[in-house]
Amino acid sequence: MKGLSLLVPPVGAFLAVYIAALVALFVSAFWTVDAFTGETVHTWTLDNFRELWHGATYHTVALRTISIAAAVTVTDAILAFPFAYFMARLAGPRMRGVLFVLVMLPLWASYLARVYAWRLILNSHGLLNWSLHKLGLPSAGIAYTNTAMWIVYSYIWLPFMILPVYAALERIPHSYIEASRDLGAKGSRTLRTVVLPLALPGVVAGSIFTFSLTLGDYITPVLIGGPSSQFIGNVVYDSALGSSNLPFAAAFALVPVLVMGIYLMIARRLGAFEAL
Amino acid sequence: MERRGTRIALGVWVALVLLFLYVPIAVICLYAFNSSNVQSWPIAGLTTKWFSPAIHNGDMQDALKLSLEAAALATSVALVLGTAASFGVHRFRFFGRESISFLLVLPIALPGIITGMALNSYFAFWKMNFGLWTIVIGHATFCVVVVYNNVIARLRRVPGSLTEASMDLGAGGVQTFRYVTFPTISTALISGALLAFALSFDEVIVTTFTAGAQNTLPIWIFGQIRLGQQLPQVNAVVFLILAVTIIPVAIAQRLTRESGILRTE
């Protein structure tokens, strides 16, 4: 069995390091830290989950994270659909190739650089307020707010939405649209009853990225957000590395994993995995 | 088929979205040449004076060196493990084949903070010293899948008849690999390696948990921005990174197109 021997090193390495570490992490969510010694106490307890359940701050943080992730997903879907439609249906092969590269390229430009660029644009003496001023409008005080985070996340993850929506739209046979028109449907009706349902798996596939990547991030809240912009990731980061309470961090980190798990189950029902 | 008005509206939309995607990148590039050390718009004037101190900054150089070493090593590990996995999965049918792709994609599917935290406590448990090798292991976890995806996509497109023909003509296993299999996957390997390198070079989240007290370049930049220190130099470094990462990605893009004996035109 030569094939199996090829698989032993990668699978073995993943099981021994990555999976073992993950399992250990989630087991530790049921442990606690001794308040005096700072040592991890290896007794089974639901204390961490109780603290999460009763702590109003944690609810606010979790709710904020999930709502911004949802808002970003909707925004990206709205921005991406017409763009992907143009790419798939109107652009010629050459134009399509150019657009494809133009969408891909920002993904590979440094993540930090792109977040930092927005900090420069949104701050009170940045490009945004300068442009508003030139147009005779009052300044927008959105630097270091949740609005700023919503804009930045929508910006950063947009390519992840455009690409799967494009792939889904490209796969719709032209004859479907012709058939719809021959049967007397107007443009808007064809869009609503033929194109949109067939593109939905692509939108859902893209939303997996935009939603999950926002849920797990903690860099943008530090650089773009304000004092009340903490995300689940920030609380997890602070309790894991700041106050060395790894069990609590692990317990809170289960929230985005759980949310994603439910989301993926819904996504599978909507056929998103075939569109990936 | 779409009406003229719709076509124009869609075209305008595409232009606006492209503007949204590229204005921030243009802005950060311009700020690198800002003659004032105040970060406001419009920039005071154009200068290249920040590049020299940025390049000669000792902390930046150390961080850059660590980033390059980590990316090179993580890419090497990913090449070996990713290629082995793709050949194993491609050639042999067995129960649980799908779960291997799932296993390899997990580090990308799960939030980076979870991978980072898990590895952090795992390394601490084994009393490993945080440094170059812990960073390499952390980066390798999510680089493997990049190589794997590239190579397996290529293997699926190469007709099995090519290797069969080679064997029929009397070539041994090694000869077939050297003259048939390797040339067909070589560009996929290079593009996979370039993308893995770029991914590792840019990573912040997992790295903050696996680097200990050391700085990779993104961590150095993150720290400087957060504390508002030496921002003109940071702008210059960011500009250089953007310029340099675009090149390998552009090459990778070209290489994943069909080439050599796979060309269909």
Side-chain angles (χ1 to χ4, degrees):
Chain A
M1 285 305 283
K2 232 168 65 193
L4 289 186
S5 66
L6 273 172
L7 285 170
V8 169
V11 173
F14 260 71
L15 291 179
V17 179
Y18 188 67
I19 299 299
L22 274 186
V23 170
L25 181 75
F26 292 129
V27 167
S28 77
F30 296 92
W31 293 342
T32 51
V33 164
D34 189 297
F36 292 107
T37 61
E39 298 276 319
T40 306
V41 183
H42 296 195
T43 44
W44 299 103
T45 165
L46 289 173
D47 280 1
N48 294 319
F49 296 100
R50 242 173 246 131
E51 195 181 336
L52 282 176
W53 189 256
H54 294 296
T57 342
Y58 303 125
H59 297 183
T60 318
V61 171
L63 198 67
R64 176 187 303 133
T65 312
I66 294 168
S67 343
I68 291 184
V72 167
T73 301
V74 172
T75 311
D76 277 346
I78 293 171
L79 289 176
F81 189 85
F83 191 98
Y85 190 90
F86 183 88
M87 259 176 100
R89 303 248 141 231
L90 296 180
R94 202 179 173 80
M95 171 84 134
R96 188 179 297 163
V98 171
L99 286 176
F100 193 79
V101 173
L102 283 176
V103 171
M104 282 290 288
L105 221 50
L107 276 185
W108 295 102
S110 159
Y111 162 87
L112 270 176
R114 288 183 296 146
V115 175
Y116 178 46
W118 278 100
R119 190 161 147 137
L120 295 173
I121 292 172
L122 296 177
N123 79 33
S124 50
H125 301 290
L127 175 62
L128 175 70
N129 279 346
W130 179 84
S131 314
L132 289 174
H133 185 75
K134 285 276 162 191
L135 295 171
L137 296 166
S139 334
I142 55 171
Y144 311 110
T145 61
N146 292 340
T147 314
M149 294 213 291
W150 164 64
I151 296 174
V152 173
Y153 281 126
S154 302
Y155 169 73
I156 296 202
W157 311 136
L158 180 58
F160 284 110
M161 181 63 92
I162 294 179
L163 296 173
V165 175
Y166 162 72
L169 284 172
E170 204 208 7
R171 241 176 276 168
I172 303 175
H174 200 67
S175 54
Y176 283 26
I177 292 162
E178 279 170 359
S180 164
R181 210 180 34 181
D182 289 349
L183 292 170
K186 285 215 180 66
S188 61
R189 180 134 187 230
T190 304
L191 182 72
R192 216 173 50 243
T193 53
V194 179
V195 179
L196 276 180
L198 288 170
L200 186 69
V203 177
V204 178
S207 76
I208 294 173
F209 292 105
T210 56
F211 194 68
S212 152
L213 289 168
T214 313
L215 272 190
D217 190 78
Y218 75 91
I219 303 287
T220 297
V222 173
L223 293 182
I224 298 291
S228 59
S229 298
Q230 275 213 320
F231 261 34
I232 294 176
N234 299 93
V235 176
V236 168
Y237 179 83
D238 289 342
S239 37
L241 289 187
S243 54
S244 312
N245 191 343
L246 201 75
F248 182 74
F252 205 15
L254 276 175
V255 174
V257 174
L258 210 71
V259 172
M260 268 327 284
I262 297 168
Y263 197 77
L264 287 177
M265 260 155 53
I266 300 170
R268 205 160 89 166
R269 290 223 155 175
L270 295 171
F273 290 111
E274 286 81 49
L276 273 177
Chain B
M1 140 205 101
E2 280 79 7
R3 267 177 296 146
R4 201 179 143 79
T6 320
R7 281 212 303 267
I8 292 172
L10 283 171
V12 170
W13 190 272
V14 167
L16 289 176
V17 169
L18 285 177
L19 217 57
F20 179 55
L21 283 176
Y22 282 90
V23 163
I25 294 174
V27 165
I28 192 87
C29 290
L30 265 178
Y31 270 87
F33 299 94
N34 185 1
S35 61
S36 159
N37 57 357
V38 179
Q39 310 297 316
S40 63
W41 188 270
I43 59 172
L46 292 173
T47 177
T48 51
K49 68 176 173 185
W50 304 114
F51 285 93
S52 172
I55 293 166
H56 293 102
N57 183 320
D59 291 340
M60 194 287 293
Q61 287 177 348
D62 292 343
L64 175 65
K65 190 165 159 280
L66 182 64
S67 275
L68 290 175
E69 284 171 354
L73 288 167
T75 304
S76 315
V77 174
L79 273 178
V80 173
L81 296 182
T83 312
S86 57
F87 270 88
V89 169
H90 177 67
R91 281 215 195 135
F92 303 92
R93 316 249 168 274
F94 54 91
F95 182 71
R97 198 158 157 257
E98 294 306 309
S99 54
I100 292 191
S101 312
F102 179 76
L103 180 71
L104 297 182
V105 83
L106 210 53
I108 287 204
L110 284 179
I113 195 158
I114 290 175
T115 303
M117 220 167 44
L119 290 175
N120 176 282
S121 50
Y122 194 66
F123 294 149
F125 176 77
W126 293 107
K127 308 224 168 3
M128 285 174 73
N129 289 319
F130 285 90
L132 177 62
W133 284 103
T134 50
I135 300 173
V136 170
I137 296 173
H139 287 189
T141 56
F142 57 78
C143 286
V144 170
V145 68
V146 180
V147 175
Y148 170 82
N149 277 343
N150 263 285
V151 175
I152 203 158
R154 178 63 54 85
L155 286 175
R156 284 191 181 134
R157 278 193 310 223
V158 179
S161 54
L162 280 181
T163 34
E164 282 163 20
S166 164
M167 298 288 210
D168 287 349
L169 291 169
V174 176
Q175 247 184 328
T176 301
F177 184 82
R178 167 77 184 77
Y179 291 106
V180 177
T181 315
F182 185 74
T184 56
I185 64 160
S186 61
T187 51
L189 281 176
I190 296 171
S191 80
L194 286 171
L195 296 179
F197 192 94
L199 210 59
S200 161
F201 192 73
D202 190 36
E203 216 284 336
V204 211
I205 297 185
V206 175
T207 318
T208 47
F209 285 90
T210 54
Q214 306 208 46
N215 277 340
T216 60
L217 194 58
I219 294 189
W220 179 80
I221 295 172
F222 182 46
Q224 301 292 313
I225 299 174
R226 198 172 37 172
L227 303 171
Q229 286 169 345
Q230 300 175 320
L231 290 180
Q233 288 189 29
V234 172
N235 294 342
V237 171
V238 163
F239 173 78
L240 292 175
I241 294 178
L242 281 179
V244 173
T245 44
I246 295 295
I247 297 167
V249 171
I251 296 173
Q253 280 277 347
R254 290 201 77 86
L255 288 179
T256 38
R257 298 207 200 128
E258 308 289 337
S259 61
I261 49 175
L262 292 175
R263 189 169 292 151
T264 46
E265 295 96 330

